[in-house]
Amino acid sequence: MVMTRGRGRGMRGGMMRPMGPGPHFGPKMKQFVPRLPFDMVLCESAFPRVKPAPDESAFTQALLKRNADLSPTPAEQAAVLNLVTKIQAVMDNLIVDPGNFDACVSSQIEEVRQVGSYKKGTMMTGHNVADIVVILKTLPTKEAVEALGKKVCDDLRSQEPQEVLVLTMLPNDRGFEISNSEATVRVLVTTIHQNLRKLDPELHLDQKILQSHLAAIRHSRWFEENAHHSTIKVLIRLLRDLRGRFEGFEPLSPWMLDLLAHYAILNNPSRQALPINSAFRRCLQLLAAGLFLPGSAGISDPCEGGNIRVHTAMTLEQQDLVCLTAQTLLRVLSHGGYKQILGLEGNSSIASEMSVWDGVVVSALEKAYEKPPERPPQDDDTDNMDADDDPMETTDN
Amino acid sequence: MQQTSQPAATVAAVKTTGNTWQTFKKPGTMQGKTQKPKAPPKPQQLHYCDVCKISCAGPQTYREHLEGQKHKKKEAAAKAGPTPSRHGASLRCELCDVTCTGADAYAAHIRGAKHQKVVKLHQKLGKPIPSTDPVVVGGTTKTSTTTAGATVGAKTTTSGAAATTGTLTAADGKKDDLKDDLLDLKEKDVEPVGQEYIEEIKNEEGKVISFNCKLCECRFNDPNAKEMHMKGRRHRLQYKKKVNPELVVEVKPSLRQRKVQEEKLRRQQLREEMWRRREEERLLEEEERWYWEERRRYEEECEYLDWCRRYPRGPPGPPPMMPPGMPRPPFMPGMPPMMPMRRPDSSDDRHVLAKHAEIYPKEEELGAIQKIVSNTEKALKMVSDYLAEVDAPKEQQVKPKAKKEKEDDSKGEDDKKDGEKKEDGPPRMLKGVMRVGILAKGLLLRGDTNVQLVVLCGDKPTRTLLDRVADNLPKQLAVVAMEDKYDIQRVVEEAALVVQNIGEQRISVNVTLTSPIMREQLLHDGDSQVIAAKDPPDVLDKQKCLDALAALRHAKWFQARANGLQSCVMVIRILRDLCQRVPTWGPLNSWAMELMCEKVIASAGQHLSPGDALRRVFEALASGLLLPGSPGLLDPCEKDPIDAASPLSAQEREDITASAQHALRLIAFRQIHKVLGMDPIPPPKFQRGGRFTRKRRRDNSTGEGNDSEGELDGGDGKKDKKEDGEDSKMDMDKETK
């Protein structure tokens, strides 16, 4: 039922839901390509500079300093690396020699992969958590996850009995965490693709969770291939920090931030990486110009088929919130408030309250989104908007 | 895989069991049958039923047993031969006539109390005790052990223990086969699976009292049973289903199961069939809709073409905006199409179009403005002639020039401007009159009553000149338009005079005097000091004159760049309205606004519908186009790099940006009417069709996109505009020479 509804809306092409790859529509059905918002970097040639660009070396220095503050210390990195290596070794053993493991736990490991900020090199200090995804050949039951956790932990303990290890189950049974005094490794469980169809919500982990773990693998692979530029990593760290400090950016997922950073740095006419100060400002400019609003082409997920725009995972209300936060911060930034934005001074109230910069009053913005009223069945508008609302699922029918 | 192999497997199983029944089992059962009548007459302390392998306490109970249902059933079963096993292979305890599904089950049986009881009984009776080795039934069944056991038993009736060994040796020949079978079974059985799903239930003392299998949802108390359960088929199936789909579970469909399976398959096929049919229907419907849509469009296009043919001048919708024969092309290029607009695109587009129609001036207004402007232009031309005539005697070469001018005039009264232009040289003080500002750009809105003309002078305009023009103009105006009364005022500080009509609707035309020489002097400042020194004492305000020249360049730029750009003029009109309506936007001067709109819309690199174009302008402002640190709006009409928006203060920039940011989100969230200051437009009534049109129209926006504001341009408007552009270009060329 839901499926058909979504489909129907998509067909209208009203908002930008790209059509699923339906073979039956033939050449008649052209796809409506949603528009990218105004992007100064892409149309620089139309806007020649009236006066030379202001000197931004102080801003750049502040960005680099903030990045240095946010990056994990060598000790932290070593601690995580150490724990990850050990766990990876234990898991590899289980793959190579499933025999003894199999006897007590009936799940078999297909593959173990490191993902997330640890793998991408975008970890933040004070958050010493590495993510590992374990793909099981078997169907992931809650018991299997538990048993695997116990087994891995036992093996680790038998290797180094003096180390204090804590095993915690993650909520929703998505996996488990093994931590020592300095670092934590989060092991996320999923299963091979073929098994996804065979899942029973009563017995196994939630399919959405499993899929998100598989997606995490694709993400880290994509990242490795496309976004290894170190400016991107610096920018991601800065954006994550921004997200942590400004409530309005809460709805942005790490993956959205990764893509946004990559887009802001590499998507320019010369295809050369932009310097960090321009890229940071561009992120705010893009968000402020509505890159992640309904009607915008946004950024389509490179790891999913069917042109899914990443921002559709947010609700409309969240899209509004993210946009208005970026808009306010952009104005603060252009009036010289970079220290407050980077968290070097002041607090996050600049995003929600009036502030004064050099005699210029910068006011916060109001929400624009309104919940559609009880919608009459024929109301095209709100309907259309809704179509934008529900996240991607319906697209891949 | 499973489904295909299943029937074959069962058939094979049935066949083999059938065979055994015919070949081997028969003698066995016959023997049992023949034994039975013998057994009862034997006077023994124990009444033993051979069929059921039980002893009865007395003759009475024995008789009752023989008449009982249980016995009869067994008897019937024995007659029919061993019940064909449902499994591919199973183990049978001959002694108790019990069939077990696996080696473990068999072992459990042998250990079990019931079996022990029967063994004891048989020993007591001195009956033969068959080997504890199981008999494999089904598959490659070798039931011959039965016969062997029986014969051996007949020979050695005395000792049960000996009988056992005897059977063993006798059955030796078959033993290898049997072992193979057992191995087979064992292999198939493999290890127990899913131990972690079996919960141990403990009592208060912590002793395990029972087990609960979470996969199969069953309980048992015996640890042996637990072992067996884990190897059991049912458990394995559950395990396969719930844990490891790759686990191999041998197939064993009973008749009922098979039926269920078939039923399931049939239903699935039915369902698929239904879906397929539904899909087909949907496609057909789709196809049909496309067809009608296509058809409708085609008809619409035909209709339009017909119309154009019938009214070659263009659609009659907007009546001619100026009296025929006017030299000037339409002064409102990019009229909103009154044409049968094909259904407008998105809701945004519909709102923008509706708003545009609302702010676009009425025909009467346009007519009135047109009238006073053209009258003023004609009168100025005559003033120019008059001044030339008055000044002529001073100069000798005037006469041929004047003649030439007359020729021009005879060519056509309306061509007066051309005439003026061709007539160069110093004698003429007033070289030409040009429209600038909203008048030239076609940006008039409803309620606009103030328009601008610029008169180019041969030399620096002086107060004297202004007076002379102002003195003569009323006379000429009276000649041009006898029935109209005009009021003329001098505004020396503005370097202008104002012509106003006297009527209920006051329209004023500002006529500014200027000269290209004013700018030339500015451009090459170094060597022009000499000229500057020569300035007449009563020269008019320099800045006003320069502004007028800039206005001329702006008009020229506008016609060259903005007019041709799709949706651009419409968006500029909408923004003009916004600047007038909303105080925050007031400080944004119109030149900066026009420049910005053009750059922003042109830089999209694709055709934009009016709604999209407006949104893009707000996007650009929202992303900080006006904020400090942005590149700024480089004025293309100035020699030095100048920001067209430079008059804006930092606070004004900030406020406009914040307002645009809010507006952008309003547009994104379907509240564009709030931005435009209008009521929301309900969606079109014909939703179905509307949907499709919209879709299609968006798709094709590149192809036919112009129709929103361009239908007119496409008709007669465009040509005129071009000429218009050339006209002014020529003027400009002159002026800068």
Side-chain angles (χ1 to χ4, degrees):
Chain A
M1 183 56 195
V2 176
M3 209 71 157
T4 32
R5 257 163 71 88
R7 184 88 200 257
R9 293 206 209 108
M11 298 249 319
R12 210 173 311 149
M15 283 331 259
M16 51 293 339
R17 171 81 37 81
M19 300 291 306
H24 21 272
F25 295 108
K28 271 184 201 162
M29 194 77 111
K30 281 182 213 153
Q31 286 196 354
F32 165 63
V33 185
R35 214 169 43 81
L36 273 175
F38 179 84
D39 183 351
M40 183 56 94
V41 174
L42 290 186
C43 43
E44 228 165 8
S45 55
F47 294 89
R49 280 211 160 266
V50 175
K51 39 188 184 280
D55 176 35
E56 294 216 305
S57 52
F59 177 40
T60 310
Q61 286 312 311
L63 286 169
L64 293 179
K65 178 179 180 307
R66 184 67 192 164
N67 174 55
D69 294 348
L70 294 171
S71 304
T73 62
E76 283 179 306
Q77 278 173 319
V80 177
L81 179 67
N82 195 7
L83 189 59
V84 169
T85 317
K86 276 187 220 157
I87 291 178
Q88 178 92 43
V90 168
M91 301 254 194
D92 284 344
N93 270 341
L94 289 180
I95 296 178
V96 176
D97 176 23
N100 54 353
F101 171 54
D102 223 20
C104 69
V105 179
S106 49
S107 42
Q108 298 161 32
I109 300 178
E110 167 85 13
E111 208 179 346
V112 177
R113 280 187 170 268
Q114 297 165 10
V115 297
S117 57
Y118 167 76
K119 173 74 176 167
K120 295 171 187 166
T122 55
M123 278 180 61
M124 313 251 289
T125 184
H127 185 73
N128 255 356
V129 182
D131 292 335
I132 289 184
V133 170
V134 173
I135 310 178
L136 296 181
K137 256 187 242 172
T138 48
L139 294 175
T141 55
K142 284 146 200 168
E143 289 81 4
V145 175
E146 264 170 49
L148 178 64
K150 221 175 267 163
K151 172 75 182 163
V152 171
C153 212
D154 289 347
D155 284 6
L156 280 175
R157 280 185 186 131
S158 66
Q159 278 175 17
E160 278 176 71
Q162 75 281 6
E163 199 167 57
V164 184
L165 289 172
V166 181
L167 174 69
T168 335
M169 286 298 144
L170 293 175
N172 295 331
D173 298 295
R174 54 205 307 240
F176 51 88
E177 258 181 7
I178 294 178
S179 358
N180 61 17
S181 49
E182 297 144 324
T184 301
V185 170
R186 199 154 48 180
V187 180
L188 306 167
V189 176
T190 185
T191 184
I192 47 176
H193 268 292
Q194 305 82 289
N195 284 350
L196 286 180
R197 279 175 294 131
K198 299 171 187 158
L199 296 173
D200 179 348
E202 302 255 310
L203 292 165
H204 305 120
L205 307 193
D206 187 2
Q207 187 175 6
K208 283 233 175 79
I209 291 176
L210 298 178
Q211 270 169 336
S212 75
H213 293 167
L214 284 177
I217 295 176
R218 290 198 294 277
H219 294 171
S220 60
R221 199 177 295 155
W222 175 87
F223 195 90
E224 223 171 345
E225 285 164 12
N226 298 285
H228 46 73
H229 199 287
S230 38
T231 318
I232 298 181
K233 294 179 185 174
V234 171
L235 184 55
I236 289 175
R237 215 170 274 134
L238 291 169
L239 290 177
R240 289 224 178 132
D241 170 54
L242 213 57
R243 174 179 179 269
R245 276 182 302 106
F246 293 100
E247 216 174 308
F249 286 145
E250 200 71 22
L252 292 167
S253 71
W255 178 230
M256 289 180 204
L257 293 181
D258 287 356
L259 290 174
L260 179 64
H262 171 260
Y263 184 98
I265 287 182
L266 287 181
N267 188 16
N268 60 60
S270 69
R271 297 273 156 197
Q272 296 298 309
L274 286 188
I276 185 72
N277 56 333
S278 314
F280 184 83
R281 170 174 288 115
R282 190 182 181 198
C283 284
L284 289 182
Q285 284 176 333
L286 286 170
L287 291 178
L291 184 70
F292 285 172
L293 283 186
S296 152
I299 301 176
S300 64
D301 196 327
C303 294
E304 306 290 336
N307 266 341
I308 293 170
R309 298 169 300 148
V310 282
H311 69 271
T312 51
M314 294 188 282
T315 65
L316 290 176
E317 207 163 2
Q318 289 174 330
Q319 293 178 20
D320 191 22
L321 184 65
V322 166
C323 182
L324 81 83
T325 308
Q327 289 177 333
T328 307
L329 290 186
L330 176 67
R331 282 178 291 128
V332 169
L333 181 64
S334 72
H335 294 298
Y338 63 85
K339 284 182 184 155
Q340 281 72 9
I341 289 175
L342 291 178
L344 301 172
E345 279 175 19
N347 55 38
S348 65
S349 67
I350 46 167
S352 51
E353 285 163 30
M354 193 191 79
S355 53
V356 181
W357 310 90
D358 260 348
V360 177
V361 179
V362 174
S363 47
L365 292 165
E366 302 271 305
K367 283 181 186 178
Y369 174 70
E370 286 175 354
K371 285 231 162 54
E374 255 330 278
R375 97 167 83 118
Q378 290 270 299
D379 195 344
D380 196 14
D381 280 4
T382 43
D383 197 10
N384 234 339
M385 184 137 122
D386 239 344
D388 216 41
D389 187 10
D390 48 4
M392 48 201 103
E393 296 89 48
T394 40
T395 336
D396 38 9
N397 20 21
Chain B
M1 272 277 282
Q2 284 179 24
Q3 281 167 3
T4 48
S5 66
Q6 237 167 36
T10 37
V11 165
V14 167
K15 233 183 206 165
T16 42
T17 42
N19 279 343
T20 36
W21 173 56
Q22 273 174 349
T23 49
F24 298 105
K25 218 44 201 190
K26 226 171 189 171
T29 46
M30 292 315 278
Q31 182 197 29
K33 217 177 153 194
T34 45
Q35 262 178 1
K36 197 197 81 187
K38 268 184 216 159
K42 258 181 197 170
Q44 270 182 333
Q45 302 118 308
L46 280 173
H47 296 272
Y48 176 75
C49 170
D50 211 12
V51 178
C52 307
K53 309 245 163 53
I54 55 159
S55 61
C56 297
Q60 175 68 20
T61 37
Y62 182 66
R63 225 169 293 126
E64 276 167 9
H65 166 75
L66 286 182
E67 274 154 30
Q69 274 207 329
K70 211 174 165 192
H71 173 81
K72 285 200 170 130
K73 231 187 209 166
K74 280 246 163 135
E75 203 176 19
K79 265 181 201 158
T83 40
S85 123
R86 283 177 296 154
H87 327 283
S90 52
L91 299 173
R92 240 176 82 87
C93 173
E94 279 300 311
L95 190 62
C96 315
D97 195 16
V98 164
T99 311
C100 302
T101 48
D104 282 294
Y106 183 80
H109 167 74
I110 295 296
R111 278 199 300 273
K114 200 177 160 206
H115 179 81
Q116 295 303 330
K117 208 171 151 192
V118 176
V119 168
K120 259 191 202 139
L121 179 69
H122 276 224
Q123 276 169 351
K124 219 173 182 177
L125 287 174
K127 286 229 162 210
I129 298 170
S131 124
T132 44
D133 281 341
V135 174
V136 181
V137 196
T140 52
T141 342
K142 310 246 170 7
T143 27
S144 41
T145 19
T146 332
T147 26
T151 43
V152 170
K155 273 180 204 158
T156 58
T157 34
T158 42
S159 131
T164 324
T165 44
T167 350
L168 278 177
T169 41
D172 222 35
K174 320 280 177 207
K175 205 138 193 211
D176 287 344
D177 290 342
L178 194 122
K179 265 191 184 145
D180 283 351
D181 284 337
L182 280 178
L183 272 178
D184 273 1
L185 270 180
K186 280 243 164 70
E187 265 161 19
K188 270 176 204 154
D189 234 13
V190 286
E191 284 111 68
V193 286
Q195 172 146 27
E196 65 270 29
Y197 298 97
I198 294 180
E199 218 171 19
E200 295 180 347
I201 298 170
K202 293 173 182 167
N203 63 7
E204 293 97 57
E205 288 150 37
K207 207 180 147 208
V208 179
I209 48 164
S210 70
F211 301 90
N212 177 27
C213 176
K214 284 193 249 173
L215 291 179
C216 315
E217 281 162 16
C218 62
R219 296 181 68 152
F220 28 81
N221 303 328
D222 187 7
N224 284 330
K226 174 191 148 200
E227 277 304 303
M228 279 169 57
H229 176 78
M230 284 196 297
K231 295 179 188 177
R233 202 186 123 77
R234 190 163 61 103
H235 178 76
R236 284 170 70 81
L237 271 176
Q238 287 295 319
Y239 185 81
K240 179 185 171 77
K241 194 174 130 209
K242 294 171 182 173
V243 181
N244 184 359
E246 260 142 58
L247 185 78
V248 182
V249 181
E250 75 276 25
V251 281
K252 178 205 98 170
S254 70
L255 207 63
R256 198 175 54 85
Q257 275 173 322
R258 208 162 59 210
K259 260 189 193 156
V260 169
Q261 194 107 34
E262 272 167 11
E263 182 65 13
K264 223 194 229 164
L265 213 71
R266 209 171 52 84
R267 250 179 295 153
Q268 200 181 336
Q269 270 171 347
L270 270 180
R271 217 176 305 138
E272 268 169 16
E273 179 73 32
M274 192 184 68
W275 278 110
R276 205 171 28 241
R277 218 170 324 128
R278 206 176 279 180
E279 181 75 354
E280 263 165 24
E281 271 164 26
R282 204 178 55 76
L283 281 181
L284 265 178
E285 197 187 326
E286 197 89 355
E287 198 66 25
E288 204 168 340
R289 251 190 267 152
W290 279 111
Y291 171 75
W292 286 111
E293 185 63 18
E294 204 64 42
R295 185 67 189 271
R296 190 187 58 71
R297 261 163 60 80
Y298 174 73
E299 274 165 10
E300 236 171 48
E301 255 151 43
C302 285
E303 229 167 80
Y304 176 55
L305 279 179
D306 269 3
W307 203 348
C308 291
R309 232 172 279 137
R310 251 177 288 145
Y311 307 94
R313 287 260 177 97
M321 280 181 297
M322 63 218 71
M326 274 303 300
R328 272 295 184 151
F331 63 9
M332 288 291 276
M335 261 289 282
M338 313 283 165
M339 251 302 292
M341 272 288 305
R342 260 183 238 125
R343 266 163 243 167
D345 287 6
S346 64
S347 150
D348 288 356
D349 291 342
R350 276 186 282 124
H351 280 89
V352 170
L353 290 181
K355 179 68 186 178
H356 185 247
E358 188 186 301
I359 58 175
Y360 197 82
K362 278 186 243 149
E363 287 157 30
E364 308 94 73
E365 286 181 77
L366 283 177
I369 293 173
Q370 179 62 36
K371 194 170 165 204
I372 183 173
V373 167
S374 65
N375 283 345
T376 311
E377 279 171 345
K378 279 186 205 164
L380 282 169
K381 152 87 166 91
M382 286 157 78
V383 169
S384 170
D385 289 351
Y386 166 76
L387 291 181
E389 231 164 85
V390 171
D391 295 344
K394 293 173 194 164
E395 313 254 347
Q396 301 252 313
Q397 325 97 300
V398 172
K399 288 232 160 123
K401 295 264 173 175
K403 231 182 231 169
K404 198 180 165 198
E405 190 198 335
K406 258 175 209 161
E407 268 168 41
D408 286 341
D409 281 354
S410 63
K411 244 189 234 167
E413 288 262 303
D414 315 318
D415 234 343
K416 100 194 137 143
K417 275 207 51 213
D418 277 11
E420 265 172 18
K421 265 178 272 147
K422 274 169 198 158
E423 184 196 12
D424 48 337
R428 266 217 187 237
M429 277 309 289
L430 306 183
K431 290 166 63 176
V433 57
M434 248 127 339
R435 298 172 180 188
V436 295
I438 50 173
L439 185 62
K441 295 168 185 168
L443 296 180
L444 282 169
L445 296 184
R446 191 166 291 189
D448 275 333
T449 54
N450 209 332
V451 294
Q452 307 276 327
L453 290 179
V454 166
V455 171
L456 286 178
C457 306
D459 208 341
K460 289 191 180 178
T462 57
R463 166 123 205 216
T464 327
L465 184 64
L466 186 68
D467 284 342
R468 286 177 73 191
V469 173
D471 287 341
N472 190 245
L473 191 58
K475 291 172 204 156
Q476 306 295 357
L477 267 176
V479 174
V480 170
M482 277 173 286
E483 71 279 15
D484 290 315
K485 290 268 176 290
Y486 293 104
D487 172 37
I488 292 155
Q489 286 171 342
R490 283 157 233 203
V491 194
V492 179
E493 61 275 19
E494 294 281 327
L497 41 89
V498 179
V499 178
Q500 255 186 336
N501 64 344
I502 297 164
E504 74 271 26
Q505 202 189 8
R506 306 277 286 195
I507 296 168
S508 47
V509 181
N510 276 39
V511 183
T512 314
L513 299 188
T514 188
S515 167
I517 299 170
M518 304 287 272
R519 188 153 184 258
E520 272 161 39
Q521 183 190 333
L522 202 74
L523 289 181
H524 359 149
D525 230 356
D527 40 76
S528 62
Q529 271 158 4
V530 198
I531 310 168
K534 272 200 278 174
D535 268 359
D538 59 347
V539 70
L540 292 169
D541 185 79
K542 191 172 147 195
Q543 191 53 48
K544 296 295 166 198
C545 294
L546 288 175
D547 287 349
L549 285 177
L552 262 179
R553 294 193 299 276
H554 295 170
K556 181 195 164 193
W557 171 91
F558 192 93
Q559 277 151 1
R561 298 296 300 271
N563 265 351
L565 190 60
Q566 194 197 350
S567 301
C568 185
V569 179
M570 192 180 277
V571 168
I572 291 176
R573 284 194 198 118
I574 298 268
L575 278 187
R576 241 199 107 209
D577 169 66
L578 185 72
C579 291
Q580 291 175 355
R581 206 158 36 82
V582 184
T584 309
W585 292 73
L588 182 61
N589 69 65
S590 68
W591 171 232
M593 185 267 287
E594 290 156 21
L595 202 55
M596 177 193 72
C597 287
E598 190 273 335
K599 282 176 183 235
V600 168
I601 294 171
S603 65
Q606 68 189 70
H607 293 285
L608 296 177
S609 73
D612 285 349
L614 184 68
R615 177 166 169 171
R616 186 171 166 87
V617 170
F618 283 119
E619 284 167 355
L621 288 172
S623 72
L625 191 62
L626 288 181
L627 291 178
S630 82
L633 295 166
L634 185 71
D635 193 335
C637 297
E638 300 297 334
K639 200 169 169 247
D640 303 321
I642 286 175
D643 187 353
S646 52
L648 288 176
S649 73
Q651 185 65 57
E652 283 162 352
R653 288 163 184 267
E654 156 70 24
D655 292 343
I656 291 173
T657 303
S659 169
Q661 288 176 335
H662 191 70
L664 169 65
R665 281 179 295 115
L666 285 174
I667 294 175
F669 294 110
R670 305 255 148 201
Q671 298 160 57
I672 193 172
H673 56 274
K674 291 186 183 165
V675 179
L676 297 175
M678 63 193 286
D679 293 329
I681 301 174
K685 271 184 191 159
F686 306 104
Q687 216 193 359
R688 257 263 144 79
R691 254 183 227 175
F692 273 83
T693 14
R694 196 154 81 201
K695 163 95 188 153
R696 159 190 305 276
R697 304 261 297 108
R698 281 189 180 230
D699 292 345
N700 297 355
S701 58
T702 26
E704 48 179 353
N706 251 322
D707 55 2
S708 48
E709 65 175 293
E711 216 96 331
L712 230 197
D713 300 353
D716 55 350
K718 213 161 218 166
K719 231 187 270 166
D720 290 334
K721 220 189 298 160
K722 206 176 263 170
E723 278 166 18
D724 191 4
E726 274 163 13
D727 251 352
S728 60
K729 209 182 283 168
M730 280 163 66
D731 292 350
M732 301 283 284
D733 288 348
K734 273 246 173 75
E735 153 206 342
T736 42
K737 240 173 231 170

